[in-house]
Amino acid sequence: MGITIKDVAKLAGTSVSAVSVALNAKQNSTIRLSAATRDRIYSAAAQLGYVSNPIAKSLATGKTKVLGLMLPYADAFIDQNPFCNQVLTGIMQEVVHSHYNLMLYTATSGIPLDKAAMFIDSRVEGVLFVMPPENSSAIVKCQKLGIPYVSILQRPSESSWTVNSDDYMGGRLAGDHLLKLGHTKIVHLKGNPDVVTSAPRLSGFQDALISAGVELPDASIIPAGFDWRVGYEAMTKVLEGPRITWPTAIFAANDLCAEGAIRAIRATGLSVPEDIAVVGYDDTWFSTMTQPPLTTVHMPIYEMGELAARMLISRLEGQIPDDIHPVLPVSLTVRHSCGGSALTGTQTSPISIQ
């Protein structure tokens, strides 16, 4: 039979309740432990080789301390997508800090997300969703089973808790920056229409140009997506048109799309930013690795993951935050791809393509 907390309590000369409070990092209004008592308990546990048994604990308390996480597509765990990496890091930071475990729903490989409900396990205490599709069957199942959940990047509703960032302002910042550099021939490589961030980014960008009296024709809004390949293909099509129609600046759906656009521009023999300026969106580590380093809208991805996990854990522990639909602010990180200098703060004038 394994070592139990009763054995630890006997060796440490304390009560079983005291050992439970110390080893589970709990706050208890009736049991106050001195630093010396905690040290004695930790020493006894180490001496005996005590290891917590999560299965026994869940049977005793009725709580599994397990959260589920569902990312927007199956390969998000392994394809090195910088957005998914960063949001997962933020989630993990809070989950570990709060002494919970995380179940990753990787079984959805090859199965449409609208069928993902079959993988929601009723033994998880709550679920975190990242960019769930509209009318997600997995969310419907959570609602039916009474499983609390929090979604990152989802339209707020009365029945959901969500964490978003200010994508409208992000699009506006990108547009204002390019306008200040003197650009008026700007193309937007738009994100996927079914992703909640795409429309507000476009709307903010359009409003920035409208406020400046600059026309943005429909032909300047190019369907693309959030991968470098679609960015490359979309930019290649733009540059297949007559030279006089070429833009002097690009606002891409995200940093990966911007990287694809940069590759396509270079393949045509043009330079970034001397011929065409490029602005991305996300500001992950990836944006510092492009050539040149990418001017991009900073989205607080790590903080969104951390906050969503904290909200879900608070919900499980009976606490309701003041705001169940927080919208985090964004900012603009200026590097070299738009003609600005991150080191000097200077900006070069755009070069018109005749």
Side-chain angles (χ1 to χ4, degrees):
M1 184 176 178
I3 302 299
T4 68
I5 61 172
K6 291 182 179 179
D7 301 315
V8 176
K10 183 177 181 180
L11 181 59
T14 65
S15 67
V16 171
S17 298
V19 173
S20 177
V21 169
L23 297 185
N24 292 304
K26 291 180 178 178
Q27 298 294 327
N28 191 299
S29 59
T30 59
I31 300 177
R32 301 289 183 179
L33 303 180
S34 67
T37 300
R38 287 182 184 274
D39 289 342
R40 199 162 68 248
I41 292 171
Y42 297 150
S43 177
Q47 184 178 333
L48 293 172
Y50 170 78
V51 178
S52 175
N53 186 334
I55 296 176
K57 189 182 297 183
S58 67
L59 290 173
T61 64
K63 296 182 178 295
T64 63
K65 301 284 282 188
V66 175
L67 307 179
L69 172 63
M70 185 170 288
L71 289 174
Y73 56 97
D75 293 338
F77 296 102
I78 58 174
D79 73 348
Q80 301 300 308
N81 182 303
F83 173 90
C84 293
N85 290 167
Q86 204 156 323
V87 76
L88 178 57
T89 302
I91 289 170
M92 287 298 299
Q93 176 68 25
E94 185 61 32
V95 167
V96 170
H97 175 75
S98 300
H99 305 286
Y100 278 73
N101 292 303
L102 197 64
M103 176 184 291
L104 307 179
Y105 288 111
T106 58
T108 56
S109 183
I111 296 175
L113 279 179
D114 62 355
K115 306 296 183 184
M118 68 181 73
F119 297 109
I120 298 296
D121 192 323
S122 60
R123 288 171 294 183
V124 299
E125 291 196 49
V127 181
L128 292 160
F129 292 97
V130 180
M131 290 192 291
E134 291 291 326
N135 303 314
S136 164
S137 63
I139 287 181
V140 171
K141 184 171 182 180
C142 283
Q143 293 170 341
K144 287 182 177 179
L145 294 176
I147 299 174
Y149 65 93
V150 175
S151 298
I152 300 171
L153 299 182
Q154 184 191 27
R155 290 184 180 87
S157 69
E158 292 184 4
S159 61
S160 66
W161 289 26
T162 60
V163 177
N164 289 286
S165 67
D166 195 344
D167 287 292
Y168 172 86
M169 181 54 67
R172 183 118 196 182
L173 287 173
D176 285 340
H177 184 66
L178 290 173
L179 289 166
K180 287 178 183 177
L181 288 173
H183 294 284
T184 56
K185 295 173 64 177
I186 309 172
V187 160
H188 176 45
L189 303 183
K190 185 182 176 182
N192 300 334
D194 57 343
V195 175
V196 69
T197 62
S198 297
R201 290 178 189 178
L202 171 59
S203 181
F205 177 67
Q206 287 175 316
D207 285 351
L209 271 62
I210 290 171
S211 296
V214 175
E215 182 182 359
L216 183 68
D218 291 342
S220 295
I221 304 171
I222 310 297
F226 299 102
D227 180 79
W228 76 265
R229 294 175 183 82
V230 294
Y232 183 92
E233 292 169 359
M235 192 68 216
T236 298
K237 291 180 180 178
V238 169
L239 297 176
E240 286 175 350
R243 192 177 184 92
I244 195 172
T245 66
W246 290 358
T248 63
I250 299 295
F251 170 40
N254 71 344
D255 292 347
L256 291 175
C257 181
E259 164 66 4
I262 291 173
R263 293 191 191 188
I265 291 167
R266 286 182 163 176
T268 311
L270 301 174
S271 298
V272 175
E274 289 79 8
D275 296 314
I276 300 179
V278 178
V279 174
Y281 204 111
D282 282 348
D283 197 23
T284 63
W285 59 266
F286 180 81
S287 61
T288 66
M289 307 299 290
T290 61
Q291 292 299 323
L294 190 62
T295 291
T296 181
V297 177
H298 176 78
M299 187 180 195
I301 302 168
Y302 175 93
E303 292 82 356
M304 292 171 70
E306 189 177 38
L307 178 58
R310 188 180 308 130
M311 287 172 59
L312 180 58
I313 292 168
S314 295
R315 188 173 186 176
L316 295 173
E317 295 177 354
Q319 302 170 12
I320 300 179
D322 294 335
D323 187 359
I324 62 172
H325 299 302
V327 177
L328 277 60
V330 298
S331 58
L332 185 72
T333 301
V334 179
R335 298 191 181 93
H336 300 288
S337 67
C338 64
S341 170
L343 297 178
T344 67
T346 59
Q347 298 174 339
T348 61
S349 299
I351 296 177
S352 298
I353 299 174
Q354 301 299 329

